[in-house]
Amino acid sequence: MFLNSPGGMSRRGYGAGILGGGGSGVAKIELSRVDRFAGTMILFWPFAWAVTLSANRHDIPMEEYILALISGFLGACLLHRCGGCIWNDIIDMDLDAQVERTKHRPLPDGRITVPQALVFLSIHVALLFAMARYLNPTAWVYAFLTIVPLTGMYPFMKRITYLPQVWLGITLNTPVLIASTIFAKQTPQAAFLLAFGGWCWTMWYDTIYGSQDKIDDIKAGVKSIVLLLASHARLALFFFSSAMTLCLLATGILNGAGLAYFLVAVGGGGSLLARDLVGVDLDDPKSCLTAFQRNGFTIGPVIFVGCLLDYLL
């Protein structure tokens, strides 16, 4: 991302010292959610869409485009682990201990201490900034905003507002602006439109994801858009999915995209969103988790394929 950015299982005793800094190596894998890859992918896909559209717009050679794409994937892995997981778990360990799905994560479970987690976090942040040093000034500013204030403040949002997802959506979609300025010094209008579409997508899938914990969240006093929306959650999902699809459509028009983009990215992506809007059971945690994972492994990739076909053709 910067060359151009769920529940743990209780395992004890083996793999100590694999990743350094004290604590079980297996626990650190759990802490960084390496085994839960959907979260990394939903962070990566908006970057991938944006960098592909930008490469197409600026006639970037395949080799340079692939390097930017690989860098974005590595950045997404690091940012998801350090911000979305490690830092979030440090701040939320008291709340996680009160939620059935999260009470066996390494920090509330006591398998990793806060100082050990901070050392592990520092390694990830250092790697992110090492990658960011190759960016042009505009992209570097977007990268800094993503890594420090936006990611750093997110865990506190659920304590002061029922809309932490609003902040999360901004955090996860500033990489769209990074990707859109890798090959150019200025940020095009279409990039802000695509970033807003990505924000709507974040609101969509995190509303579904958060529906898993709504009963425990009430008990723990955690604020969430799911609790704020209550019985209106599906109506909100309709708005978010529709707005995202319209943003994809408008972004394609502004970029002068071809037929493949509109058929696959807009038509295919919109159809998959519509399927889950009808099919997800917001009162069934298993259904919510399955629908959430489809965003990382189905919806995001389909939209990417549409962007990629447009670039190749």
Side-chain angles (χ1 to χ4, degrees):
M1 181 180 305
F2 301 127
L3 274 183
N4 347 2
S5 150
M9 296 171 286
S10 181
R11 301 177 189 151
R12 299 178 183 272
Y14 58 95
I18 291 175
L19 299 175
S24 166
V26 172
K28 285 178 180 172
I29 290 174
E30 292 178 35
L31 182 66
S32 61
R33 312 292 201 281
V34 174
D35 58 335
R36 306 296 175 99
F37 214 61
T40 298
M41 296 314 294
I42 59 176
L43 177 56
F44 169 66
W45 289 124
F47 175 93
W49 307 337
V51 79
T52 305
L53 292 172
S54 182
N56 190 11
R57 183 170 57 250
H58 297 290
D59 295 321
I60 300 301
M62 178 65 71
E63 296 80 5
E64 191 174 345
Y65 162 67
I66 291 175
L67 177 61
L69 200 63
I70 292 173
S71 299
F73 176 73
L74 294 175
C77 291
L78 289 168
L79 186 61
H80 175 240
R81 293 176 190 176
C82 77
C85 300
I86 305 172
W87 175 241
N88 196 70
D89 282 8
I90 292 171
I91 302 303
D92 281 356
M93 58 185 296
D94 58 328
L95 299 178
D96 286 345
Q98 303 176 58
V99 177
E100 182 63 33
R101 183 177 58 84
T102 59
K103 67 182 183 181
H104 292 302
R105 286 177 175 173
L107 279 163
D109 219 15
R111 289 173 288 139
I112 286 182
T113 66
V114 171
Q116 290 167 349
L118 286 171
V119 170
F120 196 36
L121 171 68
S122 299
I123 294 170
H124 286 74
V125 173
L127 289 172
L128 279 169
F129 276 109
M131 296 176 71
R133 65 188 293 267
Y134 295 99
L135 292 169
N136 64 51
T138 303
W140 191 93
V141 170
Y142 289 137
F144 177 82
L145 291 174
T146 303
I147 299 169
V148 181
L150 292 175
T151 300
M153 287 296 297
Y154 169 66
F156 301 99
M157 293 296 111
K158 67 191 71 174
R159 289 167 168 81
I160 62 175
T161 175
Y162 279 97
L163 297 171
Q165 288 82 3
V166 172
W167 189 275
L168 180 66
I170 296 170
T171 303
L172 296 187
N173 290 285
T174 47
V176 170
L177 306 181
I178 298 171
S180 300
T181 51
I182 290 172
F183 304 126
K185 294 182 179 180
Q186 295 187 340
T187 313
Q189 268 189 324
F192 293 102
L193 190 58
L194 183 60
F196 179 69
W199 179 87
C200 292
W201 190 42
T202 303
M203 297 294 289
W204 154 274
Y205 63 65
D206 210 56
T207 298
I208 293 173
Y209 185 77
S211 294
Q212 297 178 92
D213 301 326
K214 52 189 175 184
I215 295 176
D216 285 331
D217 284 349
I218 294 172
K219 295 176 183 177
V222 175
K223 293 179 172 64
S224 165
I225 191 175
V226 178
L227 302 183
L228 180 65
L229 292 170
S231 61
H232 302 295
R234 197 172 298 274
L235 179 62
L237 290 177
F238 171 75
F239 169 79
F240 295 139
S241 58
S242 299
M244 178 191 176
T245 304
L246 288 173
C247 285
L248 289 173
L249 176 64
T251 298
I253 293 172
L254 288 176
N255 277 301
L259 183 62
Y261 173 85
F262 293 105
L263 287 177
V264 180
V266 181
S271 297
L272 291 171
L273 290 168
R275 178 195 65 182
D276 280 347
L277 177 65
V278 173
V280 65
D281 183 351
L282 297 176
D283 294 318
D284 180 359
K286 184 177 180 181
S287 176
C288 291
L289 180 59
T290 300
F292 166 77
Q293 290 174 333
R294 275 197 291 266
N295 287 275
F297 299 134
T298 306
I299 298 173
V302 166
I303 297 172
F304 171 70
V305 169
C307 299
L308 182 61
L309 287 173
D310 196 46
Y311 170 71
L312 295 175
L313 297 177

